[in-house]
Amino acid sequence: MSASDVLVRLSSLGKDFDVSPPFLNRLLEREDRVLLKAVDSLSIDIPKGKTFSLVGESGCGKSTVAKLVVGLYRPSRGSIVYDGIDMPTLKTQADVEPFRKRMQMIFQDPYASLNPRWRVSDIIAEPIRAHRQITGKRAIDQRVAELLVQVGLASADGVKFPHEFSGGQRQRISIARALAGQPEFLVCDEPTSALDVSIQAQILNLMTRLQRQFALTYLFISHDLAVVYHISDFVGVMYLGRLVEWADKRTLFQRPWHPYTRMLLDAIPDLELSGRQRSPVAGEVPNPIHPPSGCHFHPRCPHANERCRNEVPNLVRKDTSEVACHALLENRLPEVTVTGEPADVGSGG
Amino acid sequence: MSEARSNQHLLSVENLRVEFPTRRGTLVAVDRISFHIDEGEVLGVVGESGAGKSLTGAAIIGLLEPPGRVAEGNIVFDGERIDDIGYEKMRRLRGNQIAMIFQDPLTSLNPLFTVGRQLTETIRTHVSIDERKARVRAIELLNEVGIPAADRRVDQYPHEFSGGMRQRVVIALALAVNPRLIIADEPTTALDVSIQAQIITLLKRLCREHGTSVMLITHDMGVIAETADRVAVMYAGRIVEIGPVGDVIKRASHPYTRGLMNSIPVIRQDIEQLVQIDGSMPRLTDIPPGCAFNPRCPKVFETCRTERPELVDVGATKAACWLYDYARRPGAGSTT
Ligand SMILES: Nc1ncnc2c1ncn2[C@@H]1O[C@H](COP(=O)(O)OP(=O)(O)OP(=O)(O)O)[C@@H](O)[C@H]1O
Ligand SMILES: Nc1ncnc2c1ncn2[C@@H]1O[C@H](COP(=O)(O)OP(=O)(O)O)[C@@H](O)[C@H]1O
Ligand code: SF4
Ligand code: SF4
Ligand SMILES: [Mg+2]
Ligand SMILES: [Mg+2]
């Protein structure tokens, strides 16, 4: 993809957390500092107007990437280039400010992210006031009413407080607030994971519609592969802080290469009632503080060999995918094509 | 039907109603539901949060938190009524015949005792064997649920286990008493997909091998599709559809079930917009009269707004919807 199509480029991005025992304990027990590599050398390009999703199991670093991208964390290594500008090199508030309003974040728990003592209209107006985009009470009120309608609420809902809304409606409020500053880029961290499926469908439909309407670019984070398939253009799979595979969504779901991607796809309970017997991959995600050497996935991988235990695999191109796996390079990974028709659900009756 | 012995089901629930008296009136959280579970069968119970799934499970094993109470109906287990047997008998039933698995494994485990001690105590309340034999059995059970190095891990405390491993321990505890029925309330909801797949596979295998019946409560249709024989769909405290899992999932009859199934994104299905049901499930304080789904239903008609539909046979399933009452649906009487 050419550089001009890319809105956000993450290069060799890394984030360490210091999880050492308290200083005194370290001194007494002669322990070293302990660093947890929550994100390790992650590179992705997010094209303008598209949705790039990150999937992976709990603790693999998805939320940390989200927070790095919107500037809630400072990276330990690597760069975040936003529309040509390397964000972490910006030093002053005044330098950062113009970029801040171009990106917004939506969180999993809409309740925790809304101030319970503020009226909905003030919650939504806050970014407008902060960025001084519109001035004058009348104009701001009008903009808030417009935003409420855009996310499927009534303009009269502005006078209410967050607790008067259901979970799905609260997520609409946080989307309205995110849109208030007219951003071009939304980072959405599990925006529907706390919602029931029928409400999830409403929010996903809303997000798709808004993306089209305002040419938004999304970084979408979820552990739900079906949601990710539905919403994304590109999908990256993370395991213990590293990107192990990425591709356009159809390729990733039809011709997964990385053994971990294959395991994830195989683990999803399906609605197709195929009666297939699964053989779930044994084991669990290891402790991220002391991850396995070499390829982090090797203790669970059916294709692991000596090299996997010693050497970190790099992402390499395979057709239209990028995959970090020694077995693929060594041609000892059997090709797998996942077919399977979409479930024919609920069409009878 | 109140003659308990006249049916062959392992569990049958009839007209169960669970209420919460409050200052502003009585809230009906489970509203006259009926279903049964046969020997060796997995009944899935699905529905969105607040539909009444957990309360139904809690009512069956007498674990409703006051002021919640069973206001109506009866529950028959193995031919005996169990909704009125009193605390002591119910406690014994829970220790022997019916086991419970919750979403958070820590609610079933005591943090102060080793996993082995909890298992041996449970085993010894059930069969009279000595400490040493009970310990051997405990290790066997841990092995059976797939805990590696069980002979070593038996002496560890719950906090030393990961989430998936803890849920395995809880399953081992449930199996320790050789129950005839396991009520599992969202047993995989807190787990990652790969661990969820392991736990589902484990539960299925164990039930097949031991002939145990399971009431599997979840909001995840995928889990139901892979595990259940039959499924009950709940909405606002009522069962709106119940039947064999294939019929309910692939050929849903009730407009709510159909909407729900269509609103789930499906891998390799390319659509711009998902089918959506507008609105949300009503709170207990404002359940509409008639069919509780009527304000959201695309097929709603006059009768729906005033009269509550009961479950009626629709092919292989039962659905509570006026569309299937041929005398009441719109246009009835004008034909024939
Ligand atoms: N502030 C922090 N201090 C120390 N460790 C942290 C911190 N934030 C995250 N971590 C660790 O970094 C790793 C990645 O965490 P992150 O929250 O990004 O995971 P995630 O992929 O979003 O998981 P989930 O699906 O559970 O939300 C985890 O091991 C986590 O425990
Ligand atoms: N202690 C309680 N007091 C009042 N209402 C309750 C209480 N416990 C549960 N409810 C209500 O009963 C309904 C059903 O709850 P529950 O069975 O937990 O739902 P589910 O398990 O289907 O998500 C919900 O509306 C819930 O808010
Ligand atoms: S690098 Fe080796 S261990 Fe890692 S996924 Fe590939 S084959 Fe498996
Ligand atoms: S009874 Fe009426 S409102 Fe209820 S589901 Fe059937 S058609 Fe819809
Ligand atoms: Mg997260
Ligand atoms: Mg529940």
Side-chain angles (χ1 to χ4, degrees), chain A residues 9 15 52 75 126 227 259 274 276 287 289 297 304 333-334:
Chain A
R9 166 165 289 169
K15 176 70 186 171
F52 196 115
E126 198 256 346
V227 167
S274 52
R276 86 196 145 109
N287 182 346
I289 297 177
F297 190 57
L333 204 57

Side-chain angles (χ1 to χ4, degrees), chain A residues 57 202 205 278 281 284, chain B residues 162 194 198 226 274 276-277:
Chain A
E57 296 178 278
Q202 297 171 3
N205 284 347
R278 309 148 178 281
V281 170
E284 307 188 5
Chain B
S162 67
S194 70
Q198 294 169 5
E226 292 233 333
L274 296 162
Q276 78 179 54
I277 316 174

